[in-house]
C-alpha cells in the first residue's frame, strides 16, 4: 500500500493530500529511510512521522483499503513518541 494512503486510512494524518505534502517535505521515514508518498508500506514496517517538534514512531500491524474511525488505531502500534528540542531552546542553553 502507498504511504500516503496508509497515513490517511490509519488516521495518522487526516487527509491524503496532507500526507503527500508531509512526505515530500522529508518528514516521514520508513525503517529509518526517508520516504516518498508513493513508497510501499508493508506489515512490520516502522514509520517515523514528524509533527512539528514531535516525532511519532509506529509499527504497521495491518493493511486495509478502508477502515472505520474507531478501528483505525488497530492498523498500527505506537512504539514511541518524543519531543525534539526547538532550535531557540538550544541557543538559550548555550548562553
Amino acid at each position: 500500500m502507498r504511504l500516503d494512503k496508509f497515513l490517511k486510512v490509519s488516521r495518522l494524518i487526516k487527509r491524503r493530500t496532507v500526507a503527500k505534502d508531509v512526505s515530500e517535505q522529508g518528514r516521514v521515514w520508513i525503517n529509518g529511510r526517508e520516504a516518498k508518498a508513493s513508497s510501499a508500506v508493508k506489515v512490520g514496517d516502522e514509520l517515523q512521522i514528524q509533527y512539528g517538534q514531535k516525532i511519532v514512531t509506529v509499527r504497521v500491524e495491518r493493511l486495509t483499503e478502508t477502515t472505520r474511525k474507531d478501528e483505525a488505531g488497530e492498523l498500527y502500534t505506537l512504539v514511541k513518541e518524543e519531543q525534539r528540542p526547538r532550535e531557540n531552546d538550544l541557543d538559550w542553553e548555550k548562553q
Side-chain angles (χ1 to χ4, degrees):
M1 175 181 283
R2 285 176 54 108
L3 174 62
D4 56 347
K5 177 144 184 164
F6 177 78
L7 292 173
K8 181 212 178 267
V9 170
S10 66
R11 309 257 192 328
L12 287 164
I13 296 180
K14 292 189 184 218
R15 285 185 222 95
R16 191 166 176 177
T17 55
V18 175
K20 182 177 183 275
D21 292 342
V22 167
S23 300
E24 289 176 356
Q25 293 169 4
R27 295 173 29 200
V28 181
W29 299 267
I30 299 175
N31 299 324
R33 291 185 158 163
E34 193 172 306
K36 295 183 179 182
S38 62
S39 298
V41 175
K42 302 180 300 288
V43 172
D45 284 347
E46 277 200 359
L47 307 179
Q48 286 183 307
I49 307 152
Q50 180 181 346
Y51 300 97
Q53 298 302 317
K54 181 169 64 170
I55 296 180
V56 175
T57 304
V58 298
R59 183 178 315 104
V60 178
E61 298 295 339
R62 205 176 66 173
L63 298 175
T64 182
E65 292 296 315
T66 60
T67 187
R68 293 185 355 206
K69 185 177 182 180
D70 57 334
E71 295 173 347
E74 298 172 8
L75 300 181
Y76 62 90
T77 301
L78 181 65
V79 175
K80 69 179 172 180
E81 191 173 321
E82 57 189 334
Q83 286 290 122
R84 292 183 52 205
R86 288 182 247 168
E87 290 183 27
N88 294 343
D89 292 344
L90 294 175
D91 292 340
W92 176 255
E93 292 173 4
K94 291 178 186 176
Q95 295 178 356

